[in-house]
């Protein structure tokens, strides 16, 4: 019974929330999650692709279904004011702590009801999702060889919807992305003699300005594309022209072709602006990360959506439009076949509401769109799920989805 698990699951959630760990550093988080799985009889393999882990529970013949939750937190100082808030420079501002607690609850319920399903249940704690490195690392480290090839991989993600709601999409759920580290090389010198320098700050500023035309003039109006300069670093003193400027740029798109074009445009513009400025060296353009577009399988999505409608009521199952948020979840399916070698792995991915009824009612606006715009969103320092309502709903949503993909008892 879920009611028997709420107290220990809430304790797990609070521990995870108070003690977040950044991407690649998730040792304590992994230990807590692994311990919860082992307590329910899962055989747990640790240290997969870093701090990743996979718990396996075999229950006769049938499909293999993998549930994925993320271990890492964000480099943000939490401002929620909650009694259990993180006090350091990291916080679970994306809801990964909720994902883990819901996955632990689902694992416990299914382990305790072996007569209700057949097959193999795999529960994965993935590191480094926020840096888009963890799925690739786990798959490259032989995740599927250790657990068996999954027939379906399921994941849910916290969203500022009312708790008890879920939302599915039939097109791309999350965008593909490419992240660049760009170094513009100039010739430094005295601020009073700019004619003797090649100012990389000016060149980089032109790059930033020109990059805004990629979406405006190189993407079709019907395409979802975003180009963001997230960091700009140059120099230390006002009276010194530095010899380099460094940019961090992310390109996102809801389609692979648009992503390829936009990423190529970024590289072309950087090189052209450096040439126009007479930079003494070619720019350094390094792709530091990438993620594929997440394409849920239509048939699996329909089955999970139908199961959710039966569980929560059709009025609490919504549609979710394509988003320019990024994920590495797509690598568990066809987009990652070069890593794992498995064909036909089906994905299902949905959004899970986490806003409590009081907060939703108090949010300004007469319709859902205005309330969504007013509520703290993922990656905001004041984002936090309402654990009392969101956690039970998260367990129900993931358990229901898993049962819709696992085999039925004969």
């Amino acid at each position: 019974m879920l009611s028997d698990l709420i107290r220990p699951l809430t304790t797990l959630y609070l521990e995870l929330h108070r003690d977040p760990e950044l991407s690649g550093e998730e040792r304590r988080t992994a230990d807590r999650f692994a311990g919860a799985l082992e307590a329910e009889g899962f055989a747990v393999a640790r240290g997969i692709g870093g701090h990743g882990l996979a718990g396996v529970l075999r229950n006769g013949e049938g499909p293999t279904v993998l549930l994925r939750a993320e271990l890492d937190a964000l480099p943000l100082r939490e401002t929620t004011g909650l009694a259990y808030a993180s006090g350091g420079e990291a916080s679970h501002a994306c809801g990964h702590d909720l994902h883990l607690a819901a996955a632990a609850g689902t694992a416990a319920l299914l382990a305790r009801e072996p007569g209700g399903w057949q097959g193999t249940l795999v529960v994965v704690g993935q590191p480094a999702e926020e840096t888009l490195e963890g799925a690739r690392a786990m798959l490259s480290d032989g995740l599927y060889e250790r657990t068996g090839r999954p027939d379906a991989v399921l994941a849910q993600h916290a969203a500022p919807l009312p708790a008890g709601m879920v939302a599915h999409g039939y097109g791309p759920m999350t965008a593909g992305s490419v992240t660049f580290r760009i170094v513009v090389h100039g010739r430094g010198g005295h601020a009073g003699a700019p004619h003797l320098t090649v100012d990389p700050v000016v060149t980089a500023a032109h790059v930033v300005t020109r990059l805004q035309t990629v979406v405006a003039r190189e993407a079709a109006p019907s395409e979802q594309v975003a180009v963001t300069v997230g960091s700009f670093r140059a120099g230390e003193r006002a009276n010194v022209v530095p010899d380099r400027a460094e940019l961090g740029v992310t390109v996102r798109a809801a389609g692979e072709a648009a992503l390829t074009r936009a990423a190529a445009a970024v590289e072309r513009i950087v090189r052209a602006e450096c040439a126009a400025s007479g930079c003494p060296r070619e720019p350094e353009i390094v792709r530091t990360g990438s993620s594929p577009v997440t394409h849920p399988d239509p048939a699996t999505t329909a089955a999970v959506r139908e199961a959710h409608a039966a569980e929560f009521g059709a009025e609490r199952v919504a549609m979710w439009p394509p988003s320019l948020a990024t994920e590495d979840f797509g690598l568990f399916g066809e987009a990652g076949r070069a890593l794992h070698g498995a064909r036909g792995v089906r994905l299902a991915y949905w959004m899970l509401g986490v806003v409590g009824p009081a907060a939703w009612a108090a949010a300004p606006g007469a319709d859902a769109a205005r309330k969504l715009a007013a509520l703290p969103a993922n990656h905001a320092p004041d984002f936090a799920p309402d654990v009392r309502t969101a956690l039970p709903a998260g367990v129900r949503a993931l358990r229901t989805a898993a049962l819709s993909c696992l085999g039925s008892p004969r």
Side-chain angles (χ1 to χ4, degrees), residues 146-378:
R146 301 171 191 240
T147 64
R149 170 199 172 279
D151 296 285
V153 183
L154 313 180
Q156 57 187 357
H157 204 292
L161 296 167
M165 283 193 71
V166 294
H168 292 268
Y170 283 93
M173 278 293 284
T174 62
S177 69
V178 177
T179 301
F180 292 96
R181 174 182 172 270
I182 296 166
V183 179
V184 173
H185 294 283
R187 185 167 59 246
H190 198 289
H195 59 294
L196 302 178
T197 73
V198 176
D199 193 336
V201 177
V202 174
T203 302
H206 280 294
V207 169
V208 172
T209 302
R210 183 64 184 269
L211 287 180
Q212 310 312 307
T213 67
V214 174
V215 176
R217 288 295 177 267
E218 300 200 39
S222 59
E223 291 177 318
Q224 287 187 292
V225 180
V227 178
T228 303
V229 180
S231 65
F232 189 138
R233 300 184 181 89
E236 299 292 339
R237 299 287 297 275
N239 64 344
V240 178
V241 175
D243 60 4
R244 57 186 276 150
E246 184 174 327
L247 303 174
V249 180
T250 300
V251 182
R252 303 165 184 255
E256 287 86 353
L259 179 64
T260 299
R261 290 200 315 273
V266 168
E267 296 198 31
R268 186 191 73 237
I269 287 169
V270 171
R271 297 185 193 283
E273 290 293 349
C274 288
S277 296
C279 291
R281 289 174 53 191
E282 286 288 311
E284 297 174 40
I285 305 174
V286 180
R287 296 192 178 203
T288 60
S290 65
S291 65
V293 179
T294 298
H295 289 288
D297 175 69
T300 307
T301 297
V304 173
R305 180 182 170 86
E306 182 179 351
H308 281 162
E311 176 73 15
F312 295 106
E315 70 280 0
R316 301 192 72 79
V317 180
M319 294 299 297
W320 188 262
S323 166
L324 288 184
T326 56
E327 257 272 23
D328 58 5
F329 180 69
L331 292 173
F332 289 96
E334 185 64 22
R337 186 149 58 87
L339 298 170
H340 53 66
R343 294 178 179 270
V345 178
R346 297 174 282 113
L347 304 181
Y349 185 94
W350 62 93
M351 310 309 289
L352 174 72
V354 300
V355 180
W360 183 263
D367 54 35
R370 293 182 183 180
K371 288 181 178 292
L372 284 169
L375 288 162
N378 305 67

